[in-house]
Amino acid sequence: MSSTSTILDPAFEDVTRSEASLRRFLHGLPGVDQVGAEARAAGLATRSIKTSAKEFALDLAIRMVDLTTLEGQDTPGKVRALSAKAMRPDPSDPTCPATAAVCVYPDMAGIAKQALGTSGVHVAAVATAFPSGRAALDIKLADTRDAVDAGADEIDMVIDRGAFLAGRYQHVYDEIVAVREACHRENGESAHLKVIFETGELQTYDNVRRASWLAMMAGAHFIKTSTGKVQPAATLPVTLVMLQAVRDFRETTGRMVGVKPAGGIRTAKDAIKYLVMVNEVAGEDWLDPDWFRFGASTLLNDLLMQRTKMKTGRYSGPDYFTLD
């Protein structure tokens, strides 16, 4: 692919024109103060919220969940069951909101789409040789188109971390642009594109900031921490850096980009820490499922348990809700 990619924002036309200009821009971004970022994340994690705010936060967190199954043993039956749970997380309580999406492999996107119907719960499909991202571009694009044709509303792609770490930023940028193009349907609609960095492999917070800007300049609708297949996955400091990036990107361009931490977020307490951080770092505009998501499989059960506790004054056992 040539380095004269589609320019998605005129403000970055000169930046994305060549490998050299892209490198100059990304390495010219302010460095991340590692100690400062980790200290601020730790400080925000100690914030307490009032009971009324906690009730709101639990429902908001449920609405932000991309309920995920990405296993080799996934079956149509499991995906249908997960879709039913996404639509009605607590069948005994009709006031419980639905989740944002069900996230599956591309070959299960059609099953999920059929099961979810007109519920409003989205189908997210991982693509581009997930989780490694190591495949030829034509294979990545075919993977994406298959998922889109099957009805995926959202595509979660992985960047080529090897190329990124080798400093081949133009290659990574061009691939994101090409995958975004592959998200378009013939009817003019387009699946939203989430770009996964696998932050556990990026080694430094500076690299997380660079990857964030690179993906946003290439047209990402969301930037996502992890595949959930590599440790560490989502962390508060990494998410802090990404939230700072989307905030600064909007200040520069006027365009909002969403953030999705994924992997390792298992408790309601953890989810609320992330919501506090979103509010404090990016701002309340991002406190919406359109702009912030949790990639998770087990988180939903704990959110439901805490929600029931607040309503009834007692815990339901973990087996009260269907296992994911």
Side-chain angles (χ1 to χ4, degrees):
M1 192 186 307
S2 73
S3 62
T4 56
S5 304
T6 304
I7 303 300
L8 291 155
D9 191 318
F12 299 115
E13 185 170 358
D14 289 339
V15 171
T16 58
R17 191 181 301 279
S18 69
E19 183 78 71
S21 58
L22 200 49
R23 174 185 298 276
R24 197 158 47 244
F25 175 84
L26 293 176
H27 284 262
L29 292 169
V32 179
D33 175 354
Q34 179 178 344
V35 173
E38 291 175 354
R40 187 170 186 210
L44 290 171
T46 64
R47 295 276 183 90
S48 60
I49 61 175
K50 295 178 181 177
T51 300
S52 58
K54 186 176 180 183
E55 291 174 351
F56 171 79
L58 290 173
D59 276 9
L60 178 58
I62 290 170
R63 292 171 51 223
M64 289 174 163
V65 169
D66 283 1
L67 195 55
T68 302
T69 184
L70 297 170
E71 302 297 335
Q73 61 188 353
D74 287 343
T75 63
K78 182 178 181 182
V79 171
R80 289 190 191 98
L82 203 69
S83 299
K85 181 168 183 176
M87 292 185 285
R88 292 286 304 276
D90 184 353
S92 70
D93 183 355
T95 69
C96 183
T99 69
V102 169
C103 186
V104 293
Y105 276 113
D107 63 318
M108 291 291 171
I111 301 291
K113 189 69 174 178
Q114 185 179 43
L116 294 167
T118 58
S119 66
V121 177
H122 294 163
V123 177
V126 298
T128 65
F130 178 96
S132 71
R134 304 198 76 93
L137 180 61
D138 58 347
I139 293 172
K140 293 181 179 183
L141 298 181
D143 198 23
T144 302
R145 292 189 190 104
D146 282 349
V148 172
D149 289 346
D153 305 294
E154 302 167 1
I155 295 295
D156 289 30
M157 73 165 285
V158 284
I159 65 166
D160 181 338
R161 281 87 72 192
F164 180 88
L165 291 170
R168 295 166 56 210
Y169 302 130
Q170 192 76 50
H171 173 85
V172 178
Y173 174 89
D174 286 348
E175 284 205 340
I176 297 170
V177 170
V179 173
R180 175 167 162 148
E181 287 296 313
C183 288
H184 290 298
R185 294 190 171 90
E186 291 183 0
N187 64 4
E189 295 178 353
S190 180
H192 275 210
L193 179 63
K194 305 197 202 87
V195 178
I196 309 170
F197 302 148
E198 200 67 282
T199 50
E201 294 182 345
L202 292 191
Q203 301 169 356
T204 68
Y205 294 132
D206 284 347
N207 276 340
V208 173
R209 176 168 286 173
R210 290 168 188 150
S212 298
W213 276 86
L214 184 64
M216 292 187 294
M217 290 189 295
H221 296 100
F222 260 78
I223 52 177
K224 177 178 171 182
T225 61
S226 323
T227 64
K229 304 296 185 183
V230 170
Q231 295 301 321
T235 67
L236 287 166
V238 155
T239 307
L240 172 76
V241 172
M242 292 168 64
L243 287 166
Q244 290 172 335
V246 297
R247 176 200 65 199
D248 295 347
F249 188 79
R250 184 170 74 164
E251 289 177 0
T252 302
T253 67
R255 182 164 73 86
M256 278 181 73
V257 176
V259 176
K260 178 180 172 180
I265 305 169
R266 296 186 175 89
T267 68
K269 186 176 181 180
D270 286 341
I272 289 172
K273 290 177 183 178
Y274 279 90
L275 295 182
V276 169
M277 177 178 288
V278 171
N279 188 58
E280 292 293 323
V281 176
E284 64 181 36
D285 286 353
W286 271 269
L287 287 174
D288 185 291
D290 285 344
W291 302 111
F292 194 79
R293 299 278 184 85
F294 294 106
S297 55
T298 58
L299 170 64
L300 181 58
N301 277 354
D302 196 60
L303 291 169
L304 295 172
M305 287 171 59
Q306 299 301 327
R307 189 178 188 275
T308 301
K309 167 70 162 53
M310 294 204 72
K311 283 183 171 290
T312 67
R314 61 184 184 275
Y315 280 109
S316 299
D319 55 351
Y320 181 79
F321 301 105
T322 56
L323 295 177
D324 302 327

